[in-house]
Amino acid sequence: MTLLSEIAGRSMRLPRAQTRDLLVERDLPATMDDGVVLLADRYVARAEASSDRSSPPPTVLVRSPYGRRGFFGFVYGRLLAERGFQVVVQSVRGTFGSGGVFRPFDERADGLATLRWLRAQPWSEGPIGMIGSSYMGLTQWAVASAADGSIGALAPSITASQFHGQAYGGGSISLDTALSWTLIIAAQERRLAPLRLIFGLRRKLPQAFDEIALGEVDAVIAGEPVPFFREWFEVAAPDDPYWRERDFSADVAGVTAPVQLVGGWQDIFLPWLLEDYVALRRAGRTTQLVIGPWAHTSTPLLARSTREGLAWLRAHLLGDRRLLDEAPVRIWVGGENAWRTLQEWPPAGVRPWRLHLHDGGRLSTTPPGHADDGAVSRFTYDPAHPTPSLGGPVLLAREPVTDNRPLEARDDVLTFTSGPLEQDVEAIGPVQADVHLRTSSPFADLFVRLCDVDPDGRSLNVCDALIRLDDAAPPVAADGSRRVSFALWPTAHRFRAGQRIRVLVAGGAHPRYARNAGTGEPPQSATRLVAVEHELLHDAAHQSAVELSVLGDRPA
């Protein structure tokens, strides 16, 4: 293990280990408020392991549904303990030997009970740190505002204080991500788990994606029903009690511990991670933001978030700021392909810049005039042959940014493209779609994507989003159209002079988002598929546009 940790530390560019001689205590029991016992492993330098030491090293807690040994025990347990901390890696309820039934995202009560248990241990004193990505980040938010000052620093990455936004992107279930994660949870503790996972990803997931009614696709990928997956279809509304007790976003402003947030422009949690940062910033809390060119499972992201998190914990638990970059915000700017330091997000001085959709597939800063009255672009979305997703944020994305020309060539996709830019345009901040749409059924989806087009025609996706429409919203105007305004993923991208900007419009992105059957039937039980005609209006009375946030003077 010494050689492996040396290799891993160097490849992740971590600071030099202070020791390789660790004591690992396995299966430490912690009793929860309802009597259920959760198990944890403790990693500590052997020289620091004595319970009667006057000043034990700070404790870092990691609560994980993915096991406390193997990969996560190595990265968060061994590598951090070699660098000055003692680390407790706990398996959450119902996973890897911990008692009870796994209840996804319901982590507040157990998290607080675990903190009380840690404070009662003779080897743990002083404020506790927490670190971890994705679900392990949610477990930090679950206790952050209610921990009675016992938390000294938090380092959540690629996560958010609430998971509903990601789970039901724009109102449609994030199918690819939901099924991929369900498969991981279902397979990880079974015999031959790695082989089961590989087979499931290659064979069972594509089969599940093709199912029309989604209520039983969990059995397709897992071989048996997965209760929490089926429950999700019954609790879709964000104000459902299921999600209310799992939503910690209202408490973010009350978190007093310093919080470092690390995310990726192509990560599935990006918009909600940025909402958490803004809430902390507005409340005057100590926080730091790092956003890179990463997807959820990007290998460089793990190394960077571990390195950044280690520096943050050392600064706030040990008083050692030598490893910490003090910049409040660091972002990767696409197109320029360079890091940028900011004082806040969104940066001061950004201005709205509207790009209007015109007849003939043109994109222009000039609004349509009366000469364009009646201008409309049409396409048909057929859920029996759904418009595919290509690139973009999903759980297991490998190439989230890719050439969109195969997608743009389809007859169920519209594109609107600017002329070559006369100067660089820096879009840094929120992006908004404002589209006037008429559909043959009130039950329809609208997918909008922003792309950067090279002179050779290569069209790379920058950001996008989908919104689901129904018979209640948005309201229908007298001419049968609806104004659909919604946020795309935020971005930081420089469109170079000579490049072109393209807006792509479609009626879905399957299987990233579940297909819309066009009938209003619940996705878990839909049996009929109805093709939906889409009419995109772009005349003087219906000024469809995409609005970017740009730095500097707005281009003409």
Side-chain angles (χ1 to χ4, degrees):
M1 189 63 74
T2 300
L3 178 59
L4 181 58
S5 62
E6 174 71 19
I7 294 172
R10 287 178 179 269
S11 66
M12 297 171 71
R13 294 172 51 203
L14 300 181
R16 184 181 298 277
Q18 298 175 8
T19 181
R20 301 288 186 195
D21 186 14
L22 299 183
L23 172 68
V24 183
E25 296 180 320
R26 302 290 190 189
D27 301 334
L28 300 178
T31 302
M32 301 295 102
D33 295 340
D34 60 355
V36 168
V37 175
L38 308 188
L39 300 181
D41 293 348
R42 176 193 178 208
Y43 295 77
V44 62
R46 193 173 298 276
E48 303 280 359
S50 173
S51 62
D52 59 1
R53 293 185 65 89
S54 60
S55 56
T59 301
V60 174
L61 172 64
V62 179
R63 304 193 65 244
S64 170
Y66 307 118
R68 57 195 181 279
R69 299 174 190 173
F71 178 79
F72 292 102
F74 177 75
V75 172
Y76 292 120
R78 174 164 289 276
L79 294 184
L80 267 64
E82 290 177 344
R83 289 161 176 82
F85 299 102
Q86 59 177 334
V87 185
V88 174
V89 182
Q90 183 186 66
S91 293
V92 302
R93 178 180 295 252
T95 68
F96 290 90
S98 287
V101 177
F102 180 49
R103 302 195 303 252
F105 323 133
D106 184 12
E107 297 294 349
R108 171 161 283 181
D110 286 353
L112 293 175
T114 299
L115 289 172
R116 291 195 298 271
W117 169 76
L118 278 176
R119 291 199 299 270
Q121 302 308 306
W123 40 261
S124 180
E125 68 176 42
I128 294 165
M130 296 185 74
I131 191 173
S133 61
S134 196
Y135 197 105
M136 292 170 280
L138 177 78
T139 66
Q140 298 175 58
W141 284 122
V143 299
S145 67
D148 301 325
S150 62
I151 294 179
L154 299 172
S157 57
I158 51 171
T159 192
S161 60
Q162 56 91 5
F163 275 21
H164 180 274
Q166 184 282 132
Y168 291 92
S172 173
I173 191 167
S174 300
L175 184 63
D176 190 318
T177 292
L179 282 178
S180 297
W181 191 73
T182 300
L183 172 63
I184 291 169
I185 295 297
Q188 64 179 355
E189 295 189 63
R190 294 185 180 181
R191 184 172 174 269
L192 303 176
L195 294 179
R196 288 179 180 272
L197 185 57
I198 292 171
F199 180 75
L201 293 173
R202 291 182 177 178
R203 298 288 298 275
K204 292 187 176 182
L205 266 184
Q207 178 184 348
F209 292 154
D210 286 339
E211 296 290 329
I212 297 173
L214 300 176
E216 299 181 359
V217 293
D218 52 337
V220 174
I221 61 170
E224 62 184 10
V226 179
F228 67 74
F229 179 84
R230 299 191 176 193
E231 186 176 19
W232 290 341
F233 289 106
E234 306 299 330
V235 296
D239 59 352
D240 188 277
Y242 177 94
W243 289 109
R244 283 207 307 268
E245 67 183 15
R246 292 161 167 81
D247 184 345
F248 312 108
S249 59
D251 302 330
V252 168
V255 176
T256 57
V259 181
Q260 179 194 71
L261 299 172
V262 178
W265 292 121
Q266 298 296 327
D267 176 51
I268 57 176
F269 291 107
L270 174 69
W272 304 281
L273 179 146
L274 290 173
E275 288 179 2
D276 291 337
Y277 167 80
V278 170
L280 289 168
R281 176 83 179 184
R282 286 176 177 170
R285 306 307 184 188
T286 300
T287 185
Q288 185 179 62
L289 178 68
V290 180
I291 307 292
W294 307 304
H296 196 72
T297 53
S298 297
T299 301
L301 170 60
L302 174 66
R304 186 62 176 260
S305 63
T306 304
R307 191 164 65 247
E308 298 279 358
L310 176 63
W312 188 256
L313 294 177
R314 287 190 64 85
H316 293 285
L317 298 181
L318 290 170
D320 179 4
R321 307 184 76 88
R322 289 175 298 173
L323 301 176
L324 184 65
D325 187 326
E326 300 282 357
V329 177
R330 280 169 286 144
I331 61 171
W332 177 268
V333 180
E336 181 183 17
N337 297 330
W339 285 96
R340 181 86 56 88
T341 295
L342 303 173
Q343 292 302 306
E344 59 185 347
W345 176 271
V350 293
R351 302 181 181 185
W353 188 51
R354 289 179 71 84
L355 294 170
H356 296 270
L357 281 54
H358 284 262
D359 206 15
R362 293 181 299 112
L363 189 68
S364 172
T365 56
T366 303
H370 291 292
D372 301 297
D373 283 353
V376 62
S377 299
R378 298 178 175 86
F379 68 92
T380 301
Y381 174 79
D382 184 356
H385 305 284
T387 312
S389 52
L390 183 66
V394 294
L395 180 68
L396 302 179
R398 289 294 178 265
E399 295 184 4
V401 177
T402 189
D403 191 345
N404 278 242
R405 282 180 290 186
L407 184 61
E408 295 165 356
R410 293 176 57 95
D411 58 11
D412 56 358
V413 173
L414 299 176
T415 60
F416 300 84
T417 310
S418 74
L421 297 173
E422 297 182 359
Q423 64 189 77
D424 288 1
V425 175
E426 285 196 346
I428 301 181
V431 181
Q432 186 82 8
D434 185 16
V435 175
H436 295 264
L437 187 69
R438 191 157 46 219
T439 56
S440 59
S441 166
F443 305 102
D445 289 349
L446 181 65
F447 178 76
V448 176
R449 168 171 283 179
L450 186 69
C451 294
D452 186 353
V453 184
D454 292 342
D456 63 4
R458 186 178 60 154
S459 179
L460 299 179
N461 52 294
V462 174
C463 62
D464 55 45
L466 176 140
I467 188 168
R468 176 149 292 190
L469 316 178
D470 58 30
D471 56 355
V476 179
D479 62 0
S481 68
R482 294 189 278 182
R483 184 174 183 176
V484 185
S485 297
F486 62 107
L488 275 58
W489 245 242
T491 192
H493 190 87
R494 172 176 282 188
F495 295 90
R496 297 280 193 179
Q499 305 278 104
R500 291 175 292 158
I501 298 175
R502 177 168 292 162
V503 172
L504 178 155
V505 180
H510 183 266
R512 179 176 162 193
Y513 300 103
R515 76 182 92 198
N516 194 320
T519 62
E521 294 178 274
Q524 67 269 31
S525 58
T527 56
R528 292 189 306 118
L529 300 177
V530 174
V532 178
E533 305 290 333
H534 289 65
E535 293 184 337
L536 184 61
L537 286 63
H538 39 75
D539 58 17
H542 307 87
Q543 296 187 11
S544 295
V546 169
E547 185 173 284
L548 282 61
S549 304
V550 298
L551 275 177
D553 294 334
R554 286 175 291 187

